[in-house]
Amino acid sequence: MVEIHKLDRANLTRAYGLDSQRLLPWPALNAPFEGAWCVLRSGDESTPHSHHEYEIFIAMTGSAALDVDGERYDFVAGDIVHLPPGCTHKVVNDTPGDFEYYGIWWDSDMSAKFLTRHEEQSR
């Protein structure tokens, strides 16, 4: 059965210096990762942080700068970046428009829980 999880732009949550909505997981989806739609407003930057998870950002609309361990990179719609565990990163939007991207993260614990759920559902 197909289930579409809708983005609710009117009720995004402010966290890490940006507005977002966690879209994964949801009850109908068994996945080995989590994710969020992120909107970085003009003039904002996300809170610099690092963590143990692997992470991918997929730039959806607009342009911004990605700062990873003190190195700055252009990041524009259509780009995908892989952020390894432990790197300190933030996104900076110094453009006149909003920048939107999708973030996906995972670790070995998420993967193990996915496999357990998958095996239980397959029985």
Side-chain angles (χ1 to χ4, degrees), residues 46-69:
S46 64
T47 305
H49 65 282
S50 65
H51 41 73
H52 73 279
E53 295 96 351
Y54 296 86
E55 193 164 35
I56 292 173
F57 290 166
I58 303 167
M60 305 302 287
T61 63
S63 63
L66 184 63
D67 186 303
V68 181
D69 291 332

Side-chain angles (χ1 to χ4, degrees), residues 58-123:
I58 303 167
M60 305 302 287
T61 63
S63 63
L66 184 63
D67 186 303
V68 181
D69 291 332
E71 297 229 16
R72 196 167 172 117
Y73 304 90
D74 292 333
F75 193 45
V76 301
D79 290 351
I80 301 172
V81 64
H82 169 250
L83 300 165
C87 71
T88 299
H89 54 279
K90 68 178 179 179
V91 182
V92 179
N93 184 358
D94 53 13
T95 72
D98 290 346
F99 176 69
E100 299 188 22
Y101 67 97
Y102 194 81
I104 301 168
W105 59 92
W106 68 95
D107 63 15
S108 57
D109 186 51
M110 288 179 200
S111 298
K113 288 178 181 176
F114 160 76
L115 290 173
T116 299
R117 289 188 307 265
H118 177 72
E119 290 172 5
E120 290 171 358
Q121 291 172 351
S122 297
R123 293 182 193 154

Side-chain angles (χ1 to χ4, degrees), residues 2-62:
V2 173
E3 180 180 319
I4 297 176
H5 193 90
K6 299 287 188 179
L7 178 64
D8 184 0
R9 288 183 181 277
N11 292 301
L12 298 175
T13 301
R14 189 81 178 165
Y16 294 99
L18 50 83
D19 299 321
S20 66
Q21 179 181 332
R22 292 200 45 166
L23 298 178
L24 297 172
W26 69 84
L29 176 68
N30 179 28
F33 54 85
E34 296 182 13
W37 186 270
C38 302
V39 179
L40 188 61
R41 306 294 178 194
S42 177
D44 282 351
E45 64 180 56
S46 64
T47 305
H49 65 282
S50 65
H51 41 73
H52 73 279
E53 295 96 351
Y54 296 86
E55 193 164 35
I56 292 173
F57 290 166
I58 303 167
M60 305 302 287
T61 63

